[in-house]
Amino acid sequence: MSMFGDRAVELLKELQRCENRDLPPYNDDEVRQILEEVRALHDQNCVEGAEIGQKEEGQLLIPGIYARHAAIERNKRCLLAYVHNRMQKLRTVRWNQGSILPPELRESLHEDEVEWFGKYSRSLATYMQSVGIDLTQNLKPPKNLFVEVSRGVPETSLHCDRNSSCQTGHC
């Protein structure tokens, strides 16, 4: 007999086992079963919630409703963690490998994930084009923390805050 939320936890464990490798195939069957469990728990809560005021022993139903509601919330958190983790890995692929999904990775994705990856790539490309910089290049920070800056105009006056001008070195 399985407990509430066991499937959702197993889904996360599966994802964790493949953490350092490529993304495991999207487990559509398991996600669907978890969603069906959430619907069944919700329906049962609705039925018992309606009975609370109608029966004398209705107050005895409240702990069960709370337990099922906690299981629903846990399943939702696990599903969100599963999707979020997969999106983070896809985001990393986009930044490290470019806008083309490798064929072996594409096979393990759900069609919604492929669509999300395309939209994310287009959004990132549009932003990079608008600022005029390819942000996917030089992802590692420089080793030297200091930058030398030279000034291209004569050092006669500077515009200081509070809308006033001052001589160089006298601000």
Side-chain angles (χ1 to χ4, degrees), residues 60-71:
L60 298 175
L61 300 173
I62 292 175
I65 292 172
Y66 280 143
R68 282 188 298 276
H69 182 72

Side-chain angles (χ1 to χ4, degrees), residues 93-121:
V93 167
R94 171 57 180 99
W95 282 88
N96 293 336
Q97 298 178 11
S99 61
I100 306 296
L101 278 170
E104 63 277 0
L105 179 61
R106 186 184 210 56
E107 292 172 4
S108 67
L109 298 178
H110 189 269
E111 64 254 7
D112 291 337
E113 292 174 319
V114 174
E115 181 182 340
W116 179 88
F117 184 82
K119 287 180 179 179
Y120 180 74
S121 292

Side-chain angles (χ1 to χ4, degrees), residues 19-170:
E19 188 172 323
N20 296 328
R21 296 180 299 195
D22 285 338
L23 223 47
Y26 184 82
N27 199 335
D28 199 28
D29 292 334
E30 198 71 24
V31 169
R32 189 173 289 115
Q33 289 175 2
I34 294 167
L35 291 173
E36 287 172 6
E37 179 181 319
V38 166
R39 278 188 211 101
L41 291 171
H42 178 265
D43 292 345
Q44 193 172 359
N45 274 357
C46 288
V47 168
E48 287 188 9
E51 293 176 5
I52 288 177
Q54 296 174 353
K55 294 182 177 180
E56 285 183 27
E57 64 274 352
Q59 295 299 317
L60 298 175
L61 300 173
I62 292 175
I65 292 172
Y66 280 143
R68 282 188 298 276
H69 182 72
I72 289 169
E73 293 296 316
R74 183 175 186 197
N75 280 348
K76 286 170 35 177
R77 282 193 309 272
C78 288
L79 284 173
L80 287 172
Y82 179 73
V83 170
H84 178 73
N85 188 288
R86 292 180 67 85
M87 296 299 110
Q88 288 294 95
K89 287 186 179 192
L90 285 175
R91 187 175 287 135
T92 302
V93 167
R94 171 57 180 99
W95 282 88
N96 293 336
Q97 298 178 11
S99 61
I100 306 296
L101 278 170
E104 63 277 0
L105 179 61
R106 186 184 210 56
E107 292 172 4
S108 67
L109 298 178
H110 189 269
E111 64 254 7
D112 291 337
E113 292 174 319
V114 174
E115 181 182 340
W116 179 88
F117 184 82
K119 287 180 179 179
Y120 180 74
S121 292
R122 284 189 297 279
S123 177
L124 182 60
T126 301
Y127 177 74
M128 289 189 300
Q129 186 177 12
S130 72
V131 295
I133 298 172
D134 185 1
L135 299 172
T136 60
Q137 299 299 316
N138 302 323
L139 293 177
K140 294 188 179 175
K143 290 183 181 180
N144 189 353
L145 298 178
F146 298 101
V147 177
E148 186 175 321
V149 178
S150 62
R151 188 169 171 197
V153 296
E155 297 183 24
T156 56
S157 67
L158 293 174
H159 184 69
C160 300
D161 39 342
R162 296 189 207 117
N163 296 326
S164 63
S165 294
C166 57
Q167 296 298 322
T168 306
H170 301 285

